[in-house]
Amino acid sequence: MSMNNSPNIFLDPSTNRFQVNVINESHDNNTALQEDVAPPHYEETSFTEEAHGRLRISHRPGNRALYENFLQNGDTVKSDGNFHPYDTHSNTYYLKTFGHNTVDAIPNIDYYRNTGSISGAKMNRPSLLEIHEQLAKNIAVNPSSVDRVTNGDGTPGDEVAANKEEENKGGFVKFGWVKGVLVRCMLNIWGVMLFIRLSWIVGQAGIGLGVVIILLATAVTSITGLSTSAIATNGFVRGGGAYYLISRSLGPEFGGSIGLIFAFANAVAVAMYVVGFAETVVELLKSSNALMVDEFNDIRIIGSITVVVLLGISVAGMEWEAKAQVILLVILLIAIANFFIGTVIPTNNEKKARGFFNYQASIFEENFGPDFRGEGFFSVFAIFFPAATGILAGANISGDLEDPQAAIPKGTMLAILITTVAYLGVAICVASCVVRDATGNMNNTVVSGMNCNGSSACTLGYDFSSCETQECRYGLMHNFQVMSMVSGFGPLITAGIFSATLSSALASLVSAPKVFQALCKDNIYKALHFFAKGHGKNNEPLRGYVLTFIIAMAFILIAELNTIAPIISNFFLASYALINFSCFHASYAKSPGWRPAFKYYNMWVSLFGAMLCCGVMFVINWWAALITYAIELFLYIYVTYKKPEVNWGSSAQALYYVNALDSALELTTVEDHVKNFRPQCIVLTGCPMTRPALLDITHSFTKNNGLCICCQVYTGARKLCVKEMNSGMAKKQAWLTKNKRKAFYAAVAADSFRDGVKSLLQASGLGRMRPNTLVLGFKTDWRDASAVQIENYVGVIHDAFDFEVGVVIIRISQGFDISQVLQVQEDLEKLEQERLALEATIKDNEFEEENRGIRGFLSKARKLNITKHVTKKDSSINTIQSMHVGEFNQRLLEASNQFKKKQGKGTIDVWWLFDDGGLTLLIPYILTLRKKWKDCKLRIFTGGKINRLEDEKLAMTSLLNKFRIKYADIKIIGNVNMKPNKESWKFFEEMIEPYRLHESCKDLTTAEKLKKETPWKITDAELEAFKEKNYRQVHLNELLQEHSRAANLIVLSLPVARKGVVSDHLYMAWLEILSRNLPPILLVRGNHKNVLTFYS
């Protein structure tokens, strides 16, 4: 081995401060391979005082070509996807970091990217195992590992490949904050309300309350803008706008529900804005007597044509749409400037007669106060508020922004500021120039000696008093075209109206498909996934455009827009409310991942904003608000029920953790009380899916009632065990969740089974939520097991008692382990996959042959051969399948599912022979509360003296009544300690015979030698000492056979073996004889602390 790390290999040691040195370590190719996985591409650097310039990579002279493709940018070393610095079968390359050779990597953004990131390729940092374990000297690299490392996992996905393909076409079109956000938001906020309703609003509310209305609406949008900015700067923002922000903050339930109605609201808004444009055009046609059909149908015709034109602009691409938006903004700004210019141009008599007198202090004073006529403050506010919406127009195309994190806050907040100033300026100016009522008659001048009564128009020479008795057509209260009258050039205001409506329609036409596409890509609503596909270099949602076009056309042709309008406004407000709530919720959850770069927000202000949005929804229209909430609730329930398989790290997840932690801490302050006792179980299931029946019966008395932890102990080579354990944790917990088992999964790696369980008994749980009961299956193969295995199994029971934990041993006739069944099922699935793949191959061959035209006739013979081959293959598969089915253990499968089924009418026989604190009685009682076991009645069996059977029964009856436990029958067994019959005793003796020492038949020296060699064997002295107990266990099985053979379940007091006195094999023999040839049986022993009480 040679290490090329001499100083002379660095090309320019005096010009670089930040230097990466690549070290080439050569090895013998014939050495056995120690790893078959390609090591990831690491970046490592060397900081030297003399390095100041560019990044330099040193290499051996013969390897210069290998490094020509590296991108040298000062802090990263990236491959172009065709080369990897480890891509060799004979050489291992290391980098020099901080002056020494290591595989440890420096911080790099590429390690933190998501797989499939568009902005850069994901790279894998060295794992802790690779740094911690001994370094392999020979590393063979699969050539395809470049893709694995570059993309972070396996081969690149479809999305990654699609992104690369689109980039190769010519790159994405990205917008800056001005064209992408500021322009769009300003155009969407400024609507027809500015030109045809603002004068009426300020006439009704006056300047004072008019300013309050504008500022109140601005407060709602500003708070929402601040919340949007905070969320948008808390990480990379993809396409989807409001939907993306809400779903990534609050989760798919809220995001999926609001995303659908938000996209629909934008689609219908297209129709609303287009109809507004069409109405203005029709008014012009009507004034010129140029209607095509009639007023109503002309609106339909013009609206339809307009939507088609707008769709063409949108489908042409974002560049064309952006150019159109800029042109419309210029027209809009000219129209607004035209209005302000008109206010200072000296008025004429015609305009005076219509109420316009230029700036007058008297008019300002008169119009400052409110003059509500048939309206109120909130009704006027409800009319104005839609003019303030549109602040999400920029966020909705977040996927098309160059830097969404910077563009959305800057563009949105500046747009709100500019539009608010414009609204305030127009409102104050128009109310300072135009009176509320005017006749339009130039002859209505003031007669000398007339009392004006404070009327500003009167003081200016006009008498509009007739408006008090008859309806006038002019003034702020009556003329919606006040801005056209005031402006310097009226047609420019009409152009402004056109610009405002068309720009809003265009923005909504773009927003709806973009939001809808993002929603469909996440596959929350699987039926809508068809609309997720994008086209072109900008991933345009053409299918979404068509759907939006159809919705807009439908509402233009058939909908009653005046009825739909308040619902649409409430849909937007619901989105605003959830964005504000998202910001509050993320802050309140205190997740370390909540680190927005935008700091000018406050969680309580965001909450106030959410409440304000909800209030405004009811102010605008209470029934529309109720409809909005009902739709959102329905969609929320639907998404929650479907449980989409996504994990976005939402604030809801963070809050779940905080609440759980707080509850666990609060629980530690609560003292244990016997009334609140519940079984909290460690279940030794191993892999949960291999022993489902053991988990099912335990789950029956812990579900919604106590803690259940499925535990697995890995023994063997530590490195392999830890690797297997870590890789399977998430999978096994996911299996529990998928199968609706309210349980946790825990695993440990230990030197022995007993050591592992001992660790679990001591360390499992949290605070007061600690296991108090150990549940394990009976070791049915104990007679074939080694002495060490028996010692471990019985030792686990001893350890549980040492830690004062109750023990439940469960036995069913077929055993619990169904790993063989699972293996058969897995083999069958593989065979089925192979069969389907074969069929697909044959279909492809047939399709290719059919496409050969005339030559297809010549291939019939070949096709026939293929068909015969397939038939043979299928028959072989069927033979294999039938062979597996023949081996399939149907009884084992049925036994594993027996506790999933509803138990019919029957009994749970409780043999409460020894008082263990009540656990033997509590577990069956809890079972009878479950739906599957509710038809089973409790029968209580206990031991007693033959001459006091009735007294014992009365005492037990009294005790059970005080415990308030319902039972069907009580039986007192008086002959528990009788000798068993000969057949039973003979079976017991034959069972323990292989494990007896028989030292009494041997001389003393031989006996002592045997004791040392096989200390686990049962001695004659031990059998004699426990003769009565042996009789009892055997006779108990006879009693169980007699009384409980037909029971659905038996619960029996577990005998306790004294440590160091009763041998392990003798104890296993007791358990075997007790539970032999019986229905499912639970051997239960509590920790001898009360778990039942009759006190209130």
PDB file of all heavy atoms in Angstrom, residues 517-530:
ATOM      1  N   GLN A 517     -52.556  21.354  -9.201  1.00  0.00           N
ATOM      2  CA  GLN A 517     -51.503  20.412  -9.592  1.00  0.00           C
ATOM      3  C   GLN A 517     -50.683  19.974  -8.377  1.00  0.00           C
ATOM      4  O   GLN A 517     -50.372  18.786  -8.215  1.00  0.00           O
ATOM      5  CB  GLN A 517     -50.589  21.042 -10.637  1.00  0.00           C
ATOM      6  CG  GLN A 517     -49.492  20.110 -11.148  1.00  0.00           C
ATOM      7  CD  GLN A 517     -48.482  20.819 -12.028  1.00  0.00           C
ATOM      8  OE1 GLN A 517     -48.186  22.003 -11.814  1.00  0.00           O
ATOM      9  NE2 GLN A 517     -47.973  20.130 -13.031  1.00  0.00           N
ATOM     10  N   ALA A 518     -50.327  20.944  -7.532  1.00  0.00           N
ATOM     11  CA  ALA A 518     -49.558  20.603  -6.327  1.00  0.00           C
ATOM     12  C   ALA A 518     -50.360  19.666  -5.425  1.00  0.00           C
ATOM     13  O   ALA A 518     -49.811  18.716  -4.849  1.00  0.00           O
ATOM     14  CB  ALA A 518     -49.195  21.886  -5.571  1.00  0.00           C
ATOM     15  N   LEU A 519     -51.650  19.917  -5.311  1.00  0.00           N
ATOM     16  CA  LEU A 519     -52.521  19.063  -4.505  1.00  0.00           C
ATOM     17  C   LEU A 519     -52.569  17.648  -5.077  1.00  0.00           C
ATOM     18  O   LEU A 519     -52.473  16.663  -4.340  1.00  0.00           O
ATOM     19  CB  LEU A 519     -53.932  19.667  -4.455  1.00  0.00           C
ATOM     20  CG  LEU A 519     -55.030  18.871  -3.754  1.00  0.00           C
ATOM     21  CD1 LEU A 519     -54.746  18.795  -2.269  1.00  0.00           C
ATOM     22  CD2 LEU A 519     -56.388  19.499  -3.991  1.00  0.00           C
ATOM     23  N   CYS A 520     -52.703  17.550  -6.384  1.00  0.00           N
ATOM     24  CA  CYS A 520     -52.790  16.233  -7.028  1.00  0.00           C
ATOM     25  C   CYS A 520     -51.462  15.486  -6.969  1.00  0.00           C
ATOM     26  O   CYS A 520     -51.438  14.252  -6.864  1.00  0.00           O
ATOM     27  CB  CYS A 520     -53.239  16.386  -8.479  1.00  0.00           C
ATOM     28  SG  CYS A 520     -54.899  17.077  -8.656  1.00  0.00           S
ATOM     29  N   LYS A 521     -50.349  16.207  -7.051  1.00  0.00           N
ATOM     30  CA  LYS A 521     -49.032  15.563  -6.967  1.00  0.00           C
ATOM     31  C   LYS A 521     -48.829  14.868  -5.627  1.00  0.00           C
ATOM     32  O   LYS A 521     -48.191  13.820  -5.552  1.00  0.00           O
ATOM     33  CB  LYS A 521     -47.919  16.600  -7.170  1.00  0.00           C
ATOM     34  CG  LYS A 521     -47.536  16.818  -8.628  1.00  0.00           C
ATOM     35  CD  LYS A 521     -46.329  17.738  -8.720  1.00  0.00           C
ATOM     36  CE  LYS A 521     -45.856  17.872 -10.176  1.00  0.00           C
ATOM     37  NZ  LYS A 521     -44.687  18.754 -10.274  1.00  0.00           N
ATOM     38  N   ASP A 522     -49.372  15.455  -4.574  1.00  0.00           N
ATOM     39  CA  ASP A 522     -49.237  14.857  -3.250  1.00  0.00           C
ATOM     40  C   ASP A 522     -50.139  13.634  -3.086  1.00  0.00           C
ATOM     41  O   ASP A 522     -50.048  12.934  -2.073  1.00  0.00           O
ATOM     42  CB  ASP A 522     -49.554  15.885  -2.161  1.00  0.00           C
ATOM     43  CG  ASP A 522     -48.467  16.942  -2.049  1.00  0.00           C
ATOM     44  OD1 ASP A 522     -47.318  16.638  -2.373  1.00  0.00           O
ATOM     45  OD2 ASP A 522     -48.781  18.076  -1.633  1.00  0.00           O
ATOM     46  N   ASN A 523     -51.037  13.424  -4.058  1.00  0.00           N
ATOM     47  CA  ASN A 523     -51.868  12.216  -4.095  1.00  0.00           C
ATOM     48  C   ASN A 523     -52.735  12.059  -2.853  1.00  0.00           C
ATOM     49  O   ASN A 523     -52.975  10.937  -2.380  1.00  0.00           O
ATOM     50  CB  ASN A 523     -50.988  10.972  -4.277  1.00  0.00           C
ATOM     51  CG  ASN A 523     -51.717   9.863  -5.016  1.00  0.00           C
ATOM     52  OD1 ASN A 523     -52.717  10.121  -5.690  1.00  0.00           O
ATOM     53  ND2 ASN A 523     -51.241   8.646  -4.885  1.00  0.00           N
ATOM     54  N   ILE A 524     -53.184  13.184  -2.325  1.00  0.00           N
ATOM     55  CA  ILE A 524     -54.084  13.123  -1.170  1.00  0.00           C
ATOM     56  C   ILE A 524     -55.450  12.609  -1.606  1.00  0.00           C
ATOM     57  O   ILE A 524     -56.080  11.816  -0.918  1.00  0.00           O
ATOM     58  CB  ILE A 524     -54.190  14.519  -0.514  1.00  0.00           C
ATOM     59  CG1 ILE A 524     -52.841  14.868   0.134  1.00  0.00           C
ATOM     60  CG2 ILE A 524     -55.297  14.550   0.529  1.00  0.00           C
ATOM     61  CD1 ILE A 524     -52.780  16.235   0.741  1.00  0.00           C
ATOM     62  N   TYR A 525     -55.906  13.103  -2.755  1.00  0.00           N
ATOM     63  CA  TYR A 525     -57.129  12.564  -3.357  1.00  0.00           C
ATOM     64  C   TYR A 525     -56.691  11.718  -4.561  1.00  0.00           C
ATOM     65  O   TYR A 525     -56.360  12.251  -5.617  1.00  0.00           O
ATOM     66  CB  TYR A 525     -58.055  13.702  -3.810  1.00  0.00           C
ATOM     67  CG  TYR A 525     -58.444  14.653  -2.707  1.00  0.00           C
ATOM     68  CD1 TYR A 525     -57.812  15.882  -2.562  1.00  0.00           C
ATOM     69  CD2 TYR A 525     -59.445  14.321  -1.802  1.00  0.00           C
ATOM     70  CE1 TYR A 525     -58.166  16.756  -1.550  1.00  0.00           C
ATOM     71  CE2 TYR A 525     -59.807  15.194  -0.788  1.00  0.00           C
ATOM     72  CZ  TYR A 525     -59.164  16.409  -0.666  1.00  0.00           C
ATOM     73  OH  TYR A 525     -59.515  17.262   0.335  1.00  0.00           O
ATOM     74  N   LYS A 526     -56.680  10.410  -4.371  1.00  0.00           N
ATOM     75  CA  LYS A 526     -56.098   9.521  -5.380  1.00  0.00           C
ATOM     76  C   LYS A 526     -56.828   9.618  -6.717  1.00  0.00           C
ATOM     77  O   LYS A 526     -56.229   9.422  -7.774  1.00  0.00           O
ATOM     78  CB  LYS A 526     -56.106   8.084  -4.870  1.00  0.00           C
ATOM     79  CG  LYS A 526     -55.214   7.879  -3.648  1.00  0.00           C
ATOM     80  CD  LYS A 526     -55.107   6.418  -3.267  1.00  0.00           C
ATOM     81  CE  LYS A 526     -54.271   6.252  -2.001  1.00  0.00           C
ATOM     82  NZ  LYS A 526     -52.905   6.716  -2.164  1.00  0.00           N
ATOM     83  N   ALA A 527     -58.130   9.908  -6.689  1.00  0.00           N
ATOM     84  CA  ALA A 527     -58.896   9.979  -7.935  1.00  0.00           C
ATOM     85  C   ALA A 527     -58.469  11.165  -8.793  1.00  0.00           C
ATOM     86  O   ALA A 527     -58.743  11.196  -9.994  1.00  0.00           O
ATOM     87  CB  ALA A 527     -60.385  10.075  -7.613  1.00  0.00           C
ATOM     88  N   LEU A 528     -57.800  12.156  -8.191  1.00  0.00           N
ATOM     89  CA  LEU A 528     -57.417  13.369  -8.914  1.00  0.00           C
ATOM     90  C   LEU A 528     -55.969  13.335  -9.395  1.00  0.00           C
ATOM     91  O   LEU A 528     -55.472  14.331  -9.911  1.00  0.00           O
ATOM     92  CB  LEU A 528     -57.629  14.598  -8.022  1.00  0.00           C
ATOM     93  CG  LEU A 528     -59.051  14.824  -7.498  1.00  0.00           C
ATOM     94  CD1 LEU A 528     -59.091  16.036  -6.572  1.00  0.00           C
ATOM     95  CD2 LEU A 528     -60.033  15.003  -8.650  1.00  0.00           C
ATOM     96  N   HIS A 529     -55.288  12.202  -9.220  1.00  0.00           N
ATOM     97  CA  HIS A 529     -53.869  12.145  -9.560  1.00  0.00           C
ATOM     98  C   HIS A 529     -53.621  12.365 -11.054  1.00  0.00           C
ATOM     99  O   HIS A 529     -52.520  12.736 -11.458  1.00  0.00           O
ATOM    100  CB  HIS A 529     -53.285  10.798  -9.128  1.00  0.00           C
ATOM    101  CG  HIS A 529     -51.793  10.738  -9.215  1.00  0.00           C
ATOM    102  ND1 HIS A 529     -50.972  11.513  -8.404  1.00  0.00           N
ATOM    103  CD2 HIS A 529     -50.964  10.018 -10.010  1.00  0.00           C
ATOM    104  CE1 HIS A 529     -49.713  11.257  -8.712  1.00  0.00           C
ATOM    105  NE2 HIS A 529     -49.681  10.371  -9.677  1.00  0.00           N
ATOM    106  N   PHE A 530     -54.652  12.177 -11.858  1.00  0.00           N
ATOM    107  CA  PHE A 530     -54.549  12.395 -13.305  1.00  0.00           C
ATOM    108  C   PHE A 530     -54.086  13.818 -13.625  1.00  0.00           C
ATOM    109  O   PHE A 530     -53.384  14.053 -14.599  1.00  0.00           O
ATOM    110  CB  PHE A 530     -55.913  12.117 -13.945  1.00  0.00           C
ATOM    111  CG  PHE A 530     -55.998  12.507 -15.397  1.00  0.00           C
ATOM    112  CD1 PHE A 530     -55.448  11.704 -16.389  1.00  0.00           C
ATOM    113  CD2 PHE A 530     -56.623  13.685 -15.775  1.00  0.00           C
ATOM    114  CE1 PHE A 530     -55.521  12.069 -17.719  1.00  0.00           C
ATOM    115  CE2 PHE A 530     -56.708  14.053 -17.104  1.00  0.00           C
ATOM    116  CZ  PHE A 530     -56.151  13.243 -18.080  1.00  0.00           C
TER     117      PHE A 530
END
